[in-house]
Structure formats: structure tokens, C-alpha cells
């Protein structure tokens, strides 16, 4: 049975399930990044978030990141799961697990993954605050999506 290493899901993420995808005998290290919904952003109290994505494109871009990892760190194995939909404070939004024979590679590849997700994966969010809401735009917060999703250019 083939394992799906790159997923967009609507249900809660369990970090152990993502970690198990990269667990292997030759791994001397597994790093796991768990991105969660925080309560305060730039001094403003967040009540919840809503993530949306172009699912098929997002999975394709997560897979591309996996290919990039394989090119940069050939002995690394990566699995990424990102959640979309409405998330509450402390909910897990993304889990990245990287295994490799050595810890330095696992750390570096894992950090590379989260930065690349923010750069190229079409996922955007709406923040719900005590005093209003706003579509934030891309994950780098360099482009606003006032209508809730990117417009066609």
C-alpha cells in the first residue's frame, strides 16, 4: 500500500500519524514541526482562523517541496499535512516530519519546508478577532485577498 506523504485535510491532524510516514530503520533523527493557531497576532486577540486552499494545486506544491528536499538532502524523507477549514486556538494547522540519518539534515530540511510552504503553496487564511474579521491573503502576508481568495491575474 502506497503512503500519501503530502496531504490537505479538513479534519484534525495527529502528529504521530505524520511522523510515522517518515519513520524508517536508517533514520537517526526525525524532526517534527507542528504549526498551531496562536491567540495573539501582532497584539490582537484571535478567536479562530479559517484556512482555504486550492486543494489539488496545494498538494502538488507540497509534493514539489518534497522533490526540492530530495534534491538538496538526498537522504531526507519528508511528509507534510496541512489542515484547512475553521481552526480554533491551539488547533494544529500543519505538521512537517523529516527523517534523515543525521539531525542537522532533519532540522535544516524541516525549516526549509515551512518557509517554502509559505512561499509557494496556495493556502490563505481569514482571521477572526474579537472586533472583526479579515482575509489575510497569502501566507507571507505580502498579498491581500479581500474577496477571500486570489484573483486571476
Amino acid at each position: 500500500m502506497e503512503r500519501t506523504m503530502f496531504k490537505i485535510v479538513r479534519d484534525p491532524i495527529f502528529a504521530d500519524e505524520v511522523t510515522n510516514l517518515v519513520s524508517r530503520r536508517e533514520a537517526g533523527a526525525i524532526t517534527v514541526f507542528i504549526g498551531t493557531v496562536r491567540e495573539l497576532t501582532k497584539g490582537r486577540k484571535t478567536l479562530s482562523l479559517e484556512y482555504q486552499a486550492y486543494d489539488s494545486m496545494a498538494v502538488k506544491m507540497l509534493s514539489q517541496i518534497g522533490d526540492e528536499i530530495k534534491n538538496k538532502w538526498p537522504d531526507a524523507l519528508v511528509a507534510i499535512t496541512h489542515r484547512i477549514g475553521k481552526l480554533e486556538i491551539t488547533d494544529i494547522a500543519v505538521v512537517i516530519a523529516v527523517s534523515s540519518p543525521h539531525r542537522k539534515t532533519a532540522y535544516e530540511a524541516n525549516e526549509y519546508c515551512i518557509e517554502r510552504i509559505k512561499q509557494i503553496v496556495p493556502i490563505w487564511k481569514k482571521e477572526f478577532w474579537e472586533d472583526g474579521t479579515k482575509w489575510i491573503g497569502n501566507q507571507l502576508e505580502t498579498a491581500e485577498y479581500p474577496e477571500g481568495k486570489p484573483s486571476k491575474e
Side-chain angles (χ1 to χ4, degrees), residues 29-54:
I30 298 175
T31 57
V32 179
F33 172 81
I34 302 172
T36 59
V37 177
R38 67 176 171 258
E39 185 174 49
L40 293 174
T41 301
K42 299 177 184 173
R44 199 168 196 180
K45 186 173 182 177
T46 303
L47 301 176
S48 62
L49 295 179
E50 180 180 338
Y51 286 99
Q52 291 192 4
Y54 291 126

Side-chain angles (χ1 to χ4, degrees), residues 4-132:
T4 303
M5 307 299 272
F6 309 103
K7 299 178 192 171
I8 298 293
V9 299
R10 286 166 175 72
D11 296 318
I13 302 170
F14 298 97
D16 286 352
E17 291 178 6
V18 183
T19 304
N20 288 339
L21 293 170
V22 301
S23 181
R24 54 194 169 127
R25 294 177 67 88
E26 59 270 41
I30 298 175
T31 57
V32 179
F33 172 81
I34 302 172
T36 59
V37 177
R38 67 176 171 258
E39 185 174 49
L40 293 174
T41 301
K42 299 177 184 173
R44 199 168 196 180
K45 186 173 182 177
T46 303
L47 301 176
S48 62
L49 295 179
E50 180 180 338
Y51 286 99
Q52 291 192 4
Y54 291 126
D55 291 32
S56 60
M57 179 58 78
V59 170
K60 182 177 177 181
M61 299 314 286
L62 293 176
S63 179
Q64 177 183 316
I65 293 168
D67 291 342
E68 292 172 10
I69 295 290
K70 199 68 176 166
N71 287 332
K72 290 178 74 74
W73 298 279
D75 58 359
L77 180 63
V78 62
I80 307 168
T81 300
H82 202 298
R83 184 174 174 193
I84 60 173
K86 189 165 184 179
L87 281 72
E88 303 297 330
I89 304 302
T90 73
D91 280 353
I92 296 173
V94 62
V95 174
I96 302 167
V98 177
S99 69
S100 76
H102 305 286
R103 69 178 175 272
K104 185 174 183 180
T105 296
Y107 277 121
E108 289 175 351
N110 202 309
E111 183 178 18
Y112 178 86
C113 273
I114 190 63
E115 297 306 324
R116 288 296 284 155
I117 287 170
K118 290 181 174 284
Q119 291 170 349
I120 69 169
V121 179
I123 296 173
W124 54 96
K125 68 181 175 184
K126 184 175 189 177
E127 291 198 4
F128 294 81
W129 303 300
E130 290 179 310
D131 58 348

